[in-house]
């Protein structure tokens, strides 16, 4: 047997579904719908067909919001209010595209999410200055104080203090998730993943200051959602969760880190004991502190590919699982995501027992055919466990390409604004996701056989840098809503662009900006 074969072995989930290998294209918000959100469109279909041709074990959609009034930055896919043949049809088409041709056995998973207090003003799907719902009335960004008056004003403009959910609101959220799962089921998705990471608001003392049972039993909402979904789906419907290892603490430092890890482990022990979850994705951070988006090279040097971002935590969980549930068919598979960008990262994670499944986000945009590339390298009989060459080079995201930023002196005096989303890095990948979708649309329209060949080799645009990425993310000339626009929506669009651009310019944390 080829010593590199561990990745391409069939996997079995507790629900009974199988899939061909351990490579998972994880959730990435596509930013391809109209600003008020909506169903998938041609851009989504083209995008997902770029992945479905390449033998990924599992493909997960970007977050599909269960509440039309709780989008992230707009352009999210949204679960329709009412499920009818007509509203389900675009999702059916998406599932069909994600399943690829008849030989493909990849699983198509829909990620369901409720943005809660992280839902932004205006872009979040509510009337301006209408509060979103959250566990408690604690504003997003509240823990970062003393950032300056202008910064605070802008941040308050973008994020309102949420309204604490009443028990009726909570019941409603449960039924929204159930509607999301029913949508996935009726659209022929293989399952759903619940997004409980990057700001899991009921689980975190940062955002949950309630005094009712949702405080002392912080998993209560999640358990209600999981149980309610299990009641309406067949046993072989996949149910996964994306879980946070590190947004549990208001404090920083190693003691707090240990305490929050222990809290996360305690939660996961309980989740495992439910015996109703098929896989658990390990991630961390939230949009105030987006650890999940750290540049992989800053954490995992090429010489030390052992440390994927959350590998330490997931290996602890794996050890617990193997001691508690050694032959338990109901034990969930562990999916590790964050910083896996070369063959060595993948093989080391498996051989070191860090995970069963390997989650790939940004590298799947740079290299949508990653499983094919990996197979090709494997066929060359190389020992891939020491191959630290990234599948594709990472972008240079300095804000100004030359390194000599002409307006550095102006920016120094610019009022700083707390991080919005995950900064320049997020913007660059959103632009590349759009490029991947659009290039394919152009080529598919053109019936020329030669162009079809080119379709296979997507090239990211490395000439787009930080400033270009932010501009292109927000100025999308062929955006769906601009195809039939009126002057009021155009004015709102322009106003929003100016605001977003300002926020990025003033953002305190340019994660990928080497200055
Ligand atoms: C453009 C972009 C959008 C993302 N959107 C989501 C999302 O919708 N849901 C989610 O759970 N994670 C999202 N993430 C986080 C990724 O799933 C993943 O956790 C993160 O990128 C780290 O993995 P990587 O190092 O392989 O990229 C997003 C990341 C990027 C770059």
């Amino acid at each position: 047997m080829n010593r590199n074969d561990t990745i391409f072995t069939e996997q079995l989930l507790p629900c009974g579904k199988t899939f061909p290998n351990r490579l998972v294209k994880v959730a990435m918000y596509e930013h391809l719908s109209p600003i008020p959100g909506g169903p998938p469109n041609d851009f989504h279909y083209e995008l997902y067909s770029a992945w479905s041709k390449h033998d990924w074990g599992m493909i997960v959609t970007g977050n599909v919001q269960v509440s039309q009034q709780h989008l992230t930055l707009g352009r999210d896919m949204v679960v329709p209010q009412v499920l009818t043949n007509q509203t389900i049809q675009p999702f059916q088409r998406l599932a069909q595209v994600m399943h690829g041709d008849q030989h493909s056995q990849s699983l198509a998973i829909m990620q369901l999410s409720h943005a809660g207090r992280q839902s932004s003003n205006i872009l979040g799907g509510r009337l301006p200055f209408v509060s979103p719902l959250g566990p408690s009335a604690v504003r997003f960004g509240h823990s970062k104080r003393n950032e300056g008056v202008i910064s605070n004003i802008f941040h308050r403009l973008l994020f309102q203090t949420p309204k604490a959910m009443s028990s009726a609101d909570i019941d409603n959220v449960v039924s929204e998730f159930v509607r999301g799962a029913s949508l996935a089921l009726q659209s022929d998705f293989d399952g759903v993943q619940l997004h409980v990471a990057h700001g899991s608001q009921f689980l975190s003392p940062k955002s949950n200051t309630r005094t009712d049972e949702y405080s002392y039993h912080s998993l209560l909402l999640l358990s209600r959602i999981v149980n309610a979904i299990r009641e309406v789906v067949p046993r072989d419907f996949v149910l996964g969760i994306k879980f946070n290892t590190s947004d549990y603490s208001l404090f920083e430092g190693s003691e707090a880190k240990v305490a929050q890890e222990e809290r996360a482990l305690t939660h996961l022990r309980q989740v495992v004991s439910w015996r109703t979850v098929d896989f658990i994705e390990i991630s961390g951070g939230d949009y105030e502190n987006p650890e999940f988006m750290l540049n992989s090279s800053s954490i995992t040097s090429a010489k030390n590919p052992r440390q994927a971002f959350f590998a330490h935590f997931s290996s602890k969980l794996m050890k617990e699982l193997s001691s508690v549930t050694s032959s338990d068919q109901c034990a969930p598979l562990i999916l590790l995501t964050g910083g896996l960008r070369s063959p060595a990262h993948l093989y080391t994670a498996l051989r070191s027992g860090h995970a069963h499944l390997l989650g790939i986000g940004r590298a799947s945009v740079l290299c949508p055919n990653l499983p094919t590339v990996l197979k090709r390298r494997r066929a060359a009989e190389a020992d891939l466990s020491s191959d630290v060459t990234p599948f594709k080079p990472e972008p240079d995201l300095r804000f100004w390409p030359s390194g000599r930023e002409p307006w550095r002196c102006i920016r120094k005096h610019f009022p700083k604004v707390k991080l919005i989303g995950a900064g320049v890095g997020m913007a660059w990948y959103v632009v590349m996701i759009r490029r991947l979708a659009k290039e394919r649309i152009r080529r598919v329209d053109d019936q020329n056989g030669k162009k079809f060949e080119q379709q296979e080799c997507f090239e990211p645009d490395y000439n787009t840098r930080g400033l270009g990425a932010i501009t292109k993310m927000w100025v999308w000339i062929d955006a769906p809503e601009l195809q039939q626009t009126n002057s009021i929506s155009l004015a709102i669009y322009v106003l929003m662009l100016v605001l977003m651009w300002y926020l990025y310019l003033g953002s305190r944390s340019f994660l990928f900006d080497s200055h």
Side-chain angles (χ1 to χ4, degrees):
M1 188 175 98
N2 186 319
R3 60 218 274 230
N4 296 317
D5 269 350
T6 46
I7 289 181
F8 292 95
T9 47
E10 191 176 71
Q11 301 297 304
L12 170 68
L13 289 166
C15 69
K17 281 243 163 75
T18 58
F19 53 105
N21 62 61
R22 300 177 192 265
L23 298 172
V24 179
K25 193 299 273 171
V26 293
M28 276 177 296
Y29 161 60
E30 306 85 1
H31 202 255
L32 289 173
S33 296
I35 288 175
N41 57 35
D42 285 349
F43 292 111
H44 293 92
Y45 307 142
E46 295 301 331
L47 173 66
Y48 280 91
S49 72
W51 285 308
S52 66
K53 294 179 79 168
H54 289 289
D55 204 19
W56 290 88
M58 211 189 265
I59 301 178
V60 186
T61 64
N63 46 206
V64 178
Q65 301 299 338
V66 296
S67 162
Q68 176 81 57
Q69 288 77 40
H70 292 84
L71 311 184
T72 54
L73 291 172
R75 300 202 183 289
D76 308 60
M77 281 194 274
V78 183
V79 175
Q81 295 280 338
V82 184
L83 303 187
T84 62
N85 287 346
Q86 204 185 350
T87 57
I88 290 172
Q89 194 275 335
F91 291 90
Q92 273 171 335
R93 170 103 192 267
L94 181 61
Q96 208 174 28
V97 168
M98 289 169 75
H99 280 128
D101 65 30
Q102 58 192 23
H103 304 296
S104 164
Q105 296 168 307
S106 310
L107 296 185
I109 305 293
M110 180 187 288
Q111 187 183 64
L112 296 177
S113 165
H114 188 295
R117 69 174 191 153
Q118 292 189 177
S119 175
S120 53
N121 191 7
I122 304 170
L123 297 174
R126 300 172 308 282
L127 287 173
F129 303 101
V130 172
S131 298
L133 294 175
S136 309
V138 181
R139 191 169 55 82
F140 176 59
H142 172 80
S143 54
K144 294 189 174 184
R145 289 186 204 139
N146 305 325
E147 303 268 332
V149 178
I150 297 188
S151 165
N152 277 329
I153 291 173
F154 269 91
H155 207 263
R156 275 164 196 273
L157 274 180
L158 205 67
F159 295 105
Q160 278 89 49
T161 302
K163 181 173 159 280
M165 288 188 199
S166 65
S167 48
D169 293 327
I170 293 178
D171 292 348
N172 190 40
V173 169
V174 175
S175 54
E176 285 173 334
F177 273 94
V178 172
R179 181 155 36 88
S182 305
L183 170 70
L185 178 68
Q186 292 176 44
S187 314
D188 297 327
F189 277 83
D190 298 288
V192 292
Q193 180 188 44
L194 308 179
H195 192 353
V196 197
H198 314 158
S200 41
Q201 299 166 35
F202 270 81
L203 299 186
S204 170
K206 281 207 285 196
S207 44
N208 182 349
T209 57
R210 299 175 75 93
T211 50
D212 59 6
E213 72 267 36
Y214 290 91
S215 159
Y216 57 81
H217 182 4
S218 47
L219 279 176
L220 182 58
L221 177 58
L222 180 61
S223 71
R224 282 192 60 193
I225 293 172
V226 167
N227 290 338
I229 290 177
R230 276 286 175 226
E231 274 175 26
V232 298
V233 296
R235 182 64 196 109
D236 71 345
F237 188 77
V238 180
L239 208 169
I241 60 174
K242 181 158 183 164
F243 210 83
N244 229 331
T245 62
S246 62
D247 76 341
Y248 284 98
S249 178
L250 291 167
F251 309 105
E252 290 177 0
S254 54
E255 270 181 34
K257 196 112 196 135
V258 171
Q260 68 188 359
E261 264 193 20
E262 193 40 52
R263 188 175 153 98
L265 267 177
T266 309
H267 279 156
L268 284 176
R269 279 182 207 118
Q270 287 178 47
V271 171
V272 171
S273 74
W274 298 342
R275 302 165 66 88
T276 44
V277 171
D278 291 292
F279 69 93
I280 298 175
E281 180 178 351
I282 300 300
S283 183
D286 58 18
Y287 285 89
E288 271 176 305
N289 182 18
E291 287 176 65
F292 63 94
M293 281 288 293
L294 288 174
N295 191 342
S296 39
S297 57
S298 65
I299 300 277
T300 56
S301 80
K303 289 193 186 116
N304 187 11
R306 285 176 181 275
Q307 305 158 10
F309 301 169
F310 306 112
H312 164 74
F313 180 89
S314 72
S315 61
K316 272 191 176 176
L317 184 61
M318 290 281 284
K319 274 198 199 108
E320 291 218 2
L321 277 183
S322 62
S323 61
V324 179
T325 60
S326 52
S327 60
D328 187 347
Q329 298 289 313
C330 289
L333 300 189
I334 303 304
L335 163 59
L336 174 64
T337 300
L340 302 174
R341 64 196 176 111
S342 73
H345 285 113
L346 302 179
Y347 284 99
T348 310
L350 282 185
R351 291 189 184 157
S352 313
H354 293 162
H356 304 108
L357 307 177
L358 304 161
I360 296 160
R362 287 166 290 176
S364 75
V365 178
L366 299 175
C367 188
N369 58 344
L370 187 146
T372 310
V373 169
L374 196 59
K375 278 186 192 165
R376 234 182 266 143
R377 288 203 203 171
R378 187 182 62 145
E381 293 281 333
D383 178 9
L384 293 181
S385 59
S386 55
D387 183 354
V388 293
T389 320
F391 291 102
K392 278 272 178 69
E394 285 182 7
D396 172 1
L397 290 172
R398 279 174 301 177
F399 209 63
W400 197 258
S402 66
R404 264 178 270 117
E405 195 183 327
W407 52 33
R408 180 181 283 259
C409 54
I410 303 174
R411 225 181 111 190
K412 223 166 65 187
H413 303 288
F414 216 73
K416 297 287 185 210
V417 180
K418 287 166 242 166
L419 184 73
I420 307 301
V424 177
M426 172 75 90
W428 194 87
Y429 281 94
V430 161
V431 171
M432 289 312 126
I433 284 174
R434 189 185 301 158
R435 180 180 167 89
L436 186 54
K438 276 174 43 179
E439 287 223 334
R440 295 174 58 78
I441 282 183
R442 252 201 324 269
R443 285 171 188 160
V444 170
D445 280 352
D446 186 332
Q447 294 296 318
N448 180 325
K450 202 167 167 210
K451 292 242 176 185
F452 187 75
E453 287 269 294
Q454 289 173 3
Q455 200 175 309
E456 297 297 311
C457 39
F458 164 75
E459 275 306 319
D461 177 11
Y462 289 109
N463 292 324
T464 296
R465 317 265 172 151
L467 183 62
I470 286 161
T471 310
K472 286 183 188 170
M473 174 169 170
W474 294 104
V475 184
W476 182 16
I477 294 156
D478 45 2
E481 71 276 18
L482 287 187
Q483 286 161 20
Q484 8 167 308
T485 191
N486 59 41
S487 48
I488 295 179
S489 59
L490 196 64
I492 295 174
Y493 187 72
V494 170
L495 194 75
M496 191 202 71
L497 293 182
V498 173
L499 177 69
M500 294 314 292
W501 215 70
Y502 179 92
L503 289 168
Y504 270 105
L505 263 187
S507 176
R508 214 168 245 301
S509 176
F510 283 91
L511 282 180
F512 294 90
D513 188 352
S514 56
H515 296 293

